[in-house]
């Protein structure tokens, strides 16, 4: 039902029957992961840890029938983007997924800008023909 609700709003959805099946997928190709805490073999916490190993920029939304404030706090501390109690309210689910995808986009942009800031500028990146800029080019050439 959740997959259908997300597809209805234009999202591409890949379903896994359990955590073990999810771990066999190439997690790095996903923009977000939604998982239940209680699953056979490999649970949602283990999947959360696996996703975190792949990328900190993939939001993981966790849901469960056993929602408690303490459980939510623990999962968020372990790296979950958000925590939803079941039965899932589909309006809330769509909102959380939209926000999670926005968060991912901003995180990736921030990482890119941080990397660009750390890379030294190349002479090709400089623009200008004024006498002051010509002096800058000469100084760079001497280094």
């Amino acid at each position: 039902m959740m997959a259908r609700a997300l597809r209805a709003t234009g999202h591409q959805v890949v379903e896994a029957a359990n955590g073990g099946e999810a771990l066999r997928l190439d997690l790095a190709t996903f923009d977000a992961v939604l998982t239940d805490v209680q699953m056979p073999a490999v649970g949602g916490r283990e999947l959360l840890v696996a996703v975190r190993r792949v990328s900190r920029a993939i939001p993981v939304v966790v849901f469960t029938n056993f929602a408690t404030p303490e459980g939510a706090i623990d999962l968020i501390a372990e790296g979950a983007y958000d925590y939803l109690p079941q039965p899932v309210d589909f309006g809330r689910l769509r909102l959380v997924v939209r926000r999670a995808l926005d968060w991912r986009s901003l995180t990736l942009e921030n990482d890119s800008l941080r990397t660009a800031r750390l890379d030294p500028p190349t002479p090709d990146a400089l623009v200008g023909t004024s006498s002051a800029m010509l002096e800058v080019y000469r100084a760079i050439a001497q280094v």
Side-chain angles (χ1 to χ4, degrees):
M1 289 177 50
M2 283 187 262
R4 188 176 10 193
L6 292 172
R7 283 186 183 109
T9 57
H11 296 289
Q12 292 181 356
V13 178
V14 175
E15 296 179 77
N18 55 56
E21 187 177 313
L23 289 177
R24 288 189 291 278
L25 299 170
D26 183 3
L27 296 173
T29 64
F30 291 92
D31 292 327
V33 173
L34 282 69
T35 182
D36 196 334
V37 171
Q38 303 291 325
M39 292 188 292
V42 177
R45 286 181 190 275
E46 293 89 316
L47 183 56
L48 170 61
V49 169
V51 171
R52 283 290 145 262
R53 278 193 218 119
V54 170
S55 173
R56 69 173 192 84
I58 300 172
V60 178
V61 178
V62 181
F63 43 89
T64 183
N65 283 325
F66 310 103
T68 65
E70 296 80 18
I73 291 168
D74 290 346
L75 287 165
I76 299 295
E78 291 175 34
Y81 174 78
D82 207 342
Y83 177 90
L84 297 172
Q86 288 184 345
V88 173
D89 173 275
F90 294 118
R92 173 114 171 99
L93 174 67
R94 286 188 289 269
L95 175 66
V96 168
V97 168
R98 184 176 52 81
R99 286 184 179 169
L101 294 173
D102 288 347
W103 174 86
R104 174 178 167 74
S105 178
L106 289 171
T107 299
L108 292 173
E109 180 181 4
N110 187 33
D111 290 349
S112 175
L113 291 171
R114 188 173 288 135
T115 300
R117 192 188 79 185
L118 297 177
D119 291 339
T122 63
D124 296 341
L126 300 174
V127 178
T129 57
S130 68
S131 59
M133 285 306 297
L134 293 175
E135 286 299 317
V136 169
Y137 298 144
R138 283 189 206 102
I140 290 172
Q142 290 177 0
V143 175

